[in-house]
Amino acid sequence: MDPIPAAETFPHIRIVMGMVVSLSIARLLNGLAGIVQHPKEARLYLTHLGWVAFMMLFLVHFWWWEYRLHEAAIIGFGAFLFLILFCSLFFFLCALLFPTSMQDYDGYEHYFFSRRKWFFGLFAGLLATDTLDTALKGRDYFTSLGWEYPLRTALYIVLSLIAAYTASRRFHAAFVVFALVYQFYWIWRIYDILT
């Protein structure tokens, strides 16, 4: 059987990826709507809301730039499975930000810190997986990002591993502010326009 060019398989792959990304965004939006609907159900925590904002931005950015996959010559089943698993990491992170029930927790701060090892462990995994996704788009694309991309990824992974083990509220607040500011900077400097 002859391989089908990526240009023909890309719409199919993008639809399946879009379903998983949509579930992730829906999880965040449902969580935020739940806060509005029941504001006294659980105490808010600004650092938690910062990670909600970061994940929303990261998801939108991810979806915006996955368009680059159409440049791959051929996408096999292995790459397809990898991409679905990559999208699934986003969903798990979003599900960790908004659990189905808060009844065992004093509020989002208590919940966030009780699940920080899971959240930041998966986040570090997502970032490592992003490196593979970037490589999947081709060597020219990977090198076009320059030294900043691997340095940025390594820094995020190190900070995530620290965040998984530290209960310092200041560290967590500083990390999410840094992540949000840098992500906006990164998107507008590198990814503003699809070419």
Side-chain angles (χ1 to χ4, degrees):
M1 203 151 80
D2 292 333
I4 299 171
E8 294 177 34
T9 59
F10 180 66
H12 173 70
I13 293 168
R14 192 164 161 93
I15 288 168
V16 176
M17 289 172 61
M19 290 187 303
V20 180
V21 169
S22 296
L23 288 170
S24 304
I25 291 172
R27 186 68 179 232
L28 295 177
L29 294 176
N30 281 329
L32 291 171
I35 289 171
V36 172
Q37 293 167 346
H38 308 286
K40 295 184 183 188
E41 189 171 288
R43 285 194 322 265
L44 298 180
Y45 179 49
L46 286 178
T47 300
H48 168 262
L49 290 176
W51 283 111
V52 170
F54 178 85
M55 286 307 299
M56 181 64 83
L57 179 63
F58 201 177
L59 277 161
V60 171
H61 168 233
F62 169 78
W63 194 238
W64 171 255
W65 209 247
E66 281 306 297
Y67 176 76
R68 283 290 216 190
L69 280 173
H70 80 280
E71 293 178 359
I74 294 172
I75 298 176
F77 182 77
F80 173 69
L81 183 61
F82 166 79
L83 291 167
I84 299 306
L85 293 174
F86 184 25
C87 292
S88 298
L89 285 172
F90 280 104
F91 178 80
F92 286 124
L93 283 164
C94 294
L96 281 170
L97 286 171
F98 285 111
T100 53
S101 172
M102 288 291 292
Q103 69 185 24
D104 296 333
Y105 304 97
D106 296 336
Y108 281 103
E109 182 176 6
H110 179 217
Y111 171 76
F112 182 77
F113 280 98
S114 74
R115 294 294 175 260
R116 72 181 184 272
K117 287 181 182 175
W118 274 102
F119 181 79
F120 289 107
L122 284 171
F123 186 53
L126 177 81
L127 295 163
T129 306
D130 183 59
T131 303
L132 297 173
D133 177 65
T134 302
L136 185 64
K137 294 178 181 108
R139 174 175 272 198
D140 289 341
Y141 173 68
F142 195 96
T143 57
S144 75
L145 298 174
W147 60 268
E148 186 178 2
Y149 174 72
L151 181 65
R152 164 196 169 268
T153 303
L155 178 63
Y156 271 143
I157 289 172
V158 168
L159 292 174
S160 294
L161 295 175
I162 293 168
Y165 289 96
T166 185
S168 167
R169 271 57 175 168
R170 285 185 183 185
F171 176 85
H172 282 275
F175 183 20
V176 75
V177 168
F178 166 76
L180 273 166
V181 169
Y182 190 81
Q183 193 70 9
F184 272 114
Y185 164 77
W186 179 254
I187 290 169
W188 264 270
R189 194 170 62 77
I190 304 287
Y191 295 102
D192 187 33
I193 298 174
L194 289 176
T195 54

